[in-house]
């Protein structure tokens, strides 16, 4: 997969993070620690993503990021389930990848849809549309990467300086 950057914060997407979603181009390179979880379209998928995130971040001694990261990955996985096309036979599943690099933790959720996320207007009375507002409030930066083969990766970046 070769990535083309687009979206809010695309210019701020760190190259070490975007490289992790471009597996074909990173063979042989020294990359930061990462962990990947394939998510299949089930109602339990956000819970699987939260559990995977908690285990991974605790293993990286970034326990203080767990609550915020769990909310963010839950929102990103839920959006992927809601907006990506159903998983046809042989199609790649929704994939959650966590990346640890120096003083940052990055996460990305990839899916087969080219539909890009957008902050929607909402009020205290809104029944939906808060998810990306939570993502925006809880991470240092977020955006998306459109892939040439179709689909996208929605990414979020956390400041982990207090964890190390």
């Amino acid at each position: 997969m070769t990535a083309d950057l687009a979206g809010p914060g695309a210019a701020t997407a760190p190259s070490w993070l975007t490289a992790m979603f471009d597996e074909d181009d990173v063979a042989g390179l020294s990359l930061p620690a990462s962990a990947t979880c394939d998510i299949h379209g089930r109602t339990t998928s956000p819970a699987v993503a939260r559990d995977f995130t908690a285990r991974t971040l605790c293993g990286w001694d970034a326990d203080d990021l767990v609550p915020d990261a769990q909310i963010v990955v839950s929102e990103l996985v839920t959006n992927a389930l809601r907006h990506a096309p159903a998983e046809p036979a042989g199609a790649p599943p929704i994939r959650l990848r966590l990346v640890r690099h120096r003083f940052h933790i990055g996460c990305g959720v990839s899916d087969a849809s080219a539909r890009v996320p957008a902050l929607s207007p909402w009020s205290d009375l809104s029944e939906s549309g808060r998810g990306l507002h939570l993502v925006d409030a809880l991470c240092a930066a977020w955006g998306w990467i459109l892939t040439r083969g179709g689909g996208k990766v929605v990414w979020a970046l956390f400041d982990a300086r207090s964890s190390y």
Side-chain angles (χ1 to χ4, degrees), residues 23-41:
E23 295 173 3
D24 296 339
D25 294 340
V26 297
L29 295 178
S30 175
L31 294 174
S34 69
T36 303
C37 178
D38 287 345
I39 307 285
H40 300 280

Side-chain angles (χ1 to χ4, degrees), residues 1 110-116 144-153:
M1 158 174 76
S110 60
D111 65 56
S113 172
R115 184 175 173 188
V116 297
W144 63 86
I145 302 164
L146 296 176
T147 58
R148 285 189 194 141
K152 69 180 171 302
V153 176

Side-chain angles (χ1 to χ4, degrees), residues 5 13 26 30 37 56-57 73 81 85 87 104-105 108 111 113 118 121 123 131 141 145 159 164:
L5 292 178
V26 297
S30 175
C37 178
T56 302
L57 294 183
V73 300
L81 290 168
E87 238 180 79
H104 294 93
I105 301 286
D111 65 56
S113 172
S123 71
I145 302 164
D159 186 345
Y164 302 116

Side-chain angles (χ1 to χ4, degrees), residues 87-101:
E87 238 180 79
I94 293 168
R95 179 166 287 156
L96 166 62
R97 179 166 288 165
L98 300 172
V99 183
R100 180 177 135 198
H101 185 261

Side-chain angles (χ1 to χ4, degrees), residues 4-103:
D4 289 323
L5 292 178
T12 62
S15 59
W16 57 264
L17 181 61
T18 58
M20 295 304 295
F21 304 112
D22 199 5
E23 295 173 3
D24 296 339
D25 294 340
V26 297
L29 295 178
S30 175
L31 294 174
S34 69
T36 303
C37 178
D38 287 345
I39 307 285
H40 300 280
R42 299 185 182 104
T43 56
T44 58
S45 296
V48 168
R50 288 189 300 271
D51 292 344
F52 172 77
T53 298
R55 284 191 316 273
T56 302
L57 294 183
C58 287
W60 290 343
D61 294 324
D63 306 54
D64 58 322
L65 291 178
V66 168
D68 289 352
Q70 283 183 309
I71 292 169
V72 168
V73 300
S74 187
E75 291 299 333
L76 298 183
V77 167
T78 298
N79 283 350
L81 290 168
R82 183 173 291 150
H83 300 294
E87 238 180 79
I94 293 168
R95 179 166 287 156
L96 166 62
R97 179 166 288 165
L98 300 172
V99 183
R100 180 177 135 198
H101 185 261
R102 296 186 187 166
F103 301 113

